[in-house]
Amino acid sequence: SIGVSPGDVPRWGGQSRSTIMPSRVSGTVSTWNMARPGKRNAEGYGFVQIDGQDDSKANNLFLYADSIKDSKLRSEAKLFGLKMGTRISFRTEEPKSARQSSLAVEVEPLRGGGGGGDR
């Protein structure tokens, strides 16, 4: 016996709340789609490739403009869109259903360290 009590076993079924991972990770905006004028809740959205992972549909995170915490970056995303290659840091929110992608939330621009910046 390993000594695991029934209370220690995670319950996966019927969980309606999404889980936000505690640690921040960094990544790169891989695509951005501008909002369509006239659509309700239109804000623009894109996909983020997590650093150190293959660029594949399974690894890319969904990013809504409204998930961007930094007000300057959020305005840029809504007005002009985010450029491919934009470096960001974020937390990962697990999908609410198996058919959805994980989300990048609490998004902020990645400052300093690594990557070629404008000089």
Side-chain angles (χ1 to χ4, degrees), residues 24 26-27 68-74 76 86-90 106-112:
R24 292 189 73 80
S26 58
I68 300 172
K69 197 173 174 181
D70 181 83
S71 60
K72 185 177 174 195
L73 188 65
R74 185 173 56 243
E76 182 183 319
T86 299
R87 302 279 298 139
I88 56 174
S89 75
F90 50 90
E106 298 179 27
V107 177
E108 296 179 338
L110 194 62
R111 294 185 175 93

Side-chain angles (χ1 to χ4, degrees), residues 1-49:
S1 163
I2 301 171
V4 176
S5 69
D8 292 339
V9 178
R11 287 177 294 148
W12 301 109
Q15 192 176 4
S16 60
R17 287 187 328 144
S18 56
T19 307
I20 297 178
M21 298 298 153
S23 57
R24 292 189 73 80
V25 288
S26 58
T28 306
V29 175
S30 57
T31 58
W32 189 261
N33 299 284
M34 289 299 293
R36 288 199 199 104
K39 287 276 190 187
R40 281 189 333 150
N41 301 327
E43 59 187 62
Y45 65 93
F47 291 92
V48 179
Q49 180 184 347

Side-chain angles (χ1 to χ4, degrees), residues 86-104:
T86 299
R87 302 279 298 139
I88 56 174
S89 75
F90 50 90
R91 294 185 199 281
T92 304
E93 183 177 308
E94 293 301 308
K96 292 177 177 67
S97 81
R99 291 189 306 250
Q100 296 175 317
S101 297
S102 295
L103 296 170

